[in-house]
Amino acid sequence: MTPLSCLLYLLGIHVTYTLAGQCLSICRDPDDCPPEAAQPGETPPIWQTCPGGPGNGAQWACQASDIDFPTVACLVADMQTCGLIGAGGRSTVFYSFGATTVEARTKFRDTLNPKGVMFNDALDADYWDNVLNLPKFHMDQSARMTILVARYAEAMATVSTGEVFFVVQKYNGDGGGHGAYQLPTDTTNPNVWRAYEFPTLQRNPAVTRVTSVDLSNNQNQHVDWQPNNNDPQLPASGASDLVVPPPPPGCPQKVKRAAAACVTCITFATPGGPTGTVSVSGTAPATASITPAPTISCTLQNEDPDQGINTEYCVCSGSTFPVLSVGTTATGPDASCAYTTLNAASTIHPTANLPVVTRNCQVCTVAVDSEQCTPLAGCTPTAVSTPKPTPPRK
């Protein structure tokens, strides 16, 4: 299975984003990430390839120089040029609400004759490599990838013809509703079927019906929507109206789809090393700014004699450090703890929950009947005066 099955699933209720090193993993469903291999009886390739393409010397519509991010219109044009959806009576197969990629493909798509067209079929892997992989699209940004999924979903529904199938785990949804009208149990993210695909299918004059397929009931089919049948119509898709976030500052980042993993990897050539010079596909600016090191998260512990804390100190990542000079550029109550680097030699690791005090170049952990002290580097002891006894209270 190609990583396309994991990169851009449009029909899941959940879209999970995780970081792994320099690679961004965008998965439709944890059950298929990394994507499963061909199942018994399947002959690779398991995803179909475009029978058509641009003519000699021509480009795909989304490659046009005036397009800085794929639009619904250019994706529609490219799906029509690809020539799979609707060709020879091919039906489009969508899925959601518990149906997994493998189930939708092996238990239903592959049983149709001719074979149905799923999300990974509508535009093949070569298209993704040569078009959507263009550095100017910045598909390494998860927010931009999410908008691409929405637009791709609307485009696929726009190109669909005839009877369209919608595969679900069971006809009566856990969140309410049935078949194509199921409601998601998780409303954190838009359900792509309800937000972009089904509304577009309902407004597509070439679609004759939407039929749900119940995996839990031997792929039983039920016609849930037909035009002019007074079936409920969902609000129109707004994929084209979604605001595309600006690309990150600096150089374009080319997305690489690894052949054996569910990731898109950001790769850089850095001939200038620490100067920040970056070269990416010849379109990057000559240099990229280097982000300064952030201030380390530290808090100031004030004096608290009642707790045996007789001086101020800084707490950074669970360890204690001396306060900085007042001349720091930071402001606010924690300005004297605005560390940008931590000197391991001066780090003290006190026993958990015991107060820490600083006395005459010693940082001490105070227990009930003992204390452990560590010399404070760079500190010169001063003469110790004997404190006057405190008179007893009357």
Side-chain angles (χ1 to χ4, degrees), residues 178 181 198 202 208-210 223-234:
H178 59 271
Y181 287 97
F198 194 18
Q202 291 179 314
T208 58
R209 64 177 60 183
V210 174
V223 177
D224 292 326
W225 179 87
Q226 289 179 289
N228 305 316
N229 200 36
N230 295 322
D231 294 317
Q233 189 174 69
L234 300 186

Side-chain angles (χ1 to χ4, degrees), residues 4 47-55 59-61 74-87 90 117-128 131 152 159:
L4 192 57
W47 301 113
Q48 302 171 77
T49 57
C50 294
Q59 289 184 316
W60 293 94
C74 80
L75 290 167
V76 165
D78 286 346
M79 289 180 187
Q80 291 171 333
T81 300
C82 171
L84 270 176
I85 296 179
R90 292 177 186 272
V117 180
M118 288 175 62
F119 188 80
N120 286 353
D121 299 313
L123 289 169
D124 61 22
D126 284 343
Y127 180 90
W128 284 91
V131 181
Y152 190 106
V159 181

